[in-house]
């Protein structure tokens, strides 16, 4: 289940397929095929989400709700994908990993694929206009943006990762747990700051005003 503009999109499995719901339209069937992965993204900058969906045996598609149009953008099924506004134009681009091929960006305008790494991440999350990537014990934690390319953050293998404006300066900080070390956030001016010695099982960013 993912948030989708003013509603939600739900994968009900092979029995029912992919549906959307909002209070004005109710339940709407989008596809009878069981989706593999689903991401909501504003690909055309109109302020409304489109869907990016992979279907095993069919490929990777975008869905435009206005015209109810499915458009295939790749025949390969991704193992991870994110929506990221890489160039700051208020239109989302995609960052997608394909096992056996590598890590790619996709620019919907012009349908341009670009490989940015041959290594498949263990995990990746959006951070600002780029991504934070866990490349495992072999390579550690890196960040990537279109403007600055790849930059190392830590040689240790990350556990949980999220981003949040932890010091209320308008910039998202990376919050990461490292096995054997604790829970840290990365400050661009002060480097890594430990905030707990205990490792979380899960964590979510929130805006909390006590």
């Amino acid at each position: 289940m993912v948030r989708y503009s003013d509603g939600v999109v739900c994968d009900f499995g092979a029995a029912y397929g992919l549906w959307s719901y909002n209070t004005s339209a109710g339940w709407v069937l989008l596809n009878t095929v069981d989706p593999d992965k689903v991401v909501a993204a504003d690909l055309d900058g109109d302020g409304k989400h489109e869907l990016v969906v992979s279907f095993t045996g069919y490929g990777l598609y975008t869905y435009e709700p206005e015209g109810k149009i499915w458009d295939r953008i790749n025949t390969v099924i991704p193992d991870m994908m994110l929506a990221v506004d890489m160039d700051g134009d208020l239109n989302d681009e995609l960052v997608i990993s394909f096992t056996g091929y590598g890590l790619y960006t996709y620019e919907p305008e012009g349908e341009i694929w670009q490989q940015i790494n041959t290594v498949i991440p263990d995990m990746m999350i959006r951070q600002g206009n780029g991504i934070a990537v866990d490349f495992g014990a072999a390579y550690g934690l890196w960040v990537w943006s279109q403007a600055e390319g790849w930059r190392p953050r830590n040689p240790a293998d990350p556990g949980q990762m999220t981003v949040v404006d932890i010091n209320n300066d308008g910039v998202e900080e990376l919050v990461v747990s490292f096995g054997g070390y604790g829970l840290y956030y990365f400050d661009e001016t002060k480097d890594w700051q430990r905030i707990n010695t205990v490792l979380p099982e899960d964590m979510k960013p929130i805006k909390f005003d006590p």
Side-chain angles (χ1 to χ4, degrees):
M1 182 169 63
V2 297
R3 181 178 178 179
Y4 180 53
S5 293
D6 57 351
V8 294
V9 165
C10 297
D11 168 13
F12 285 114
Y16 300 100
L18 182 66
W19 292 71
S20 68
Y21 176 84
N22 61 45
T23 54
S24 59
W27 286 103
V28 176
L29 176 64
L30 304 181
N31 206 301
T32 57
V33 180
D34 183 16
D36 175 57
K37 293 176 180 62
V38 182
V39 167
D42 183 5
L43 300 176
D44 55 13
D46 64 354
K48 299 177 182 179
H49 283 145
E50 290 76 48
L51 290 179
V52 185
V53 186
S54 60
F55 298 98
T56 302
Y58 296 92
L60 180 62
Y61 289 76
T62 59
Y63 177 75
E64 173 55 66
E66 294 296 327
K68 298 184 178 179
I69 296 169
W70 287 99
D71 181 29
R72 187 165 70 177
I73 60 173
N74 209 302
T75 59
V76 182
I77 301 298
D79 55 352
M80 282 178 280
M81 56 183 181
L82 294 174
V84 181
D85 180 8
M86 299 184 301
D87 51 15
D89 64 353
L90 303 182
N91 297 9
D92 286 328
E93 289 79 42
L94 303 174
V95 182
I96 304 177
S97 65
F98 298 98
T99 300
Y101 297 92
L103 184 61
Y104 286 77
T105 62
Y106 176 73
E107 171 58 71
E109 186 177 352
E111 300 182 354
I112 301 169
W113 290 97
Q114 181 178 357
Q115 188 184 60
I116 59 173
N117 212 303
T118 57
V119 181
I120 299 297
D122 287 355
M123 176 173 51
M124 62 180 182
I125 61 173
R126 182 201 58 78
Q127 184 182 15
N129 294 113
I131 55 175
V133 181
D134 169 13
F135 281 118
Y139 301 101
L141 176 63
W142 292 69
V143 293
W144 178 90
S145 68
Q146 193 175 70
E148 298 183 282
W150 288 104
R151 292 173 290 155
R153 273 290 179 258
N154 204 299
D157 185 11
Q160 298 288 327
M161 298 196 303
T162 192
V163 292
V164 65
D165 182 3
I166 205 166
N167 53 11
N168 200 32
D169 63 353
V171 178
E172 290 180 328
E173 281 76 41
L174 185 58
V175 183
V176 185
S177 64
F178 296 99
Y181 298 95
L183 181 63
Y184 289 76
Y185 77 91
F186 185 82
D187 187 292
E188 291 288 349
T189 59
K190 300 177 182 178
D191 210 336
W192 288 101
Q193 305 293 310
R194 188 164 67 178
I195 54 179
N196 209 307
T197 57
V198 181
L199 297 178
E201 294 184 4
D202 196 9
M203 56 185 181
K204 296 286 188 296
I206 63 168
K207 183 177 180 181
F208 179 62
D209 298 315

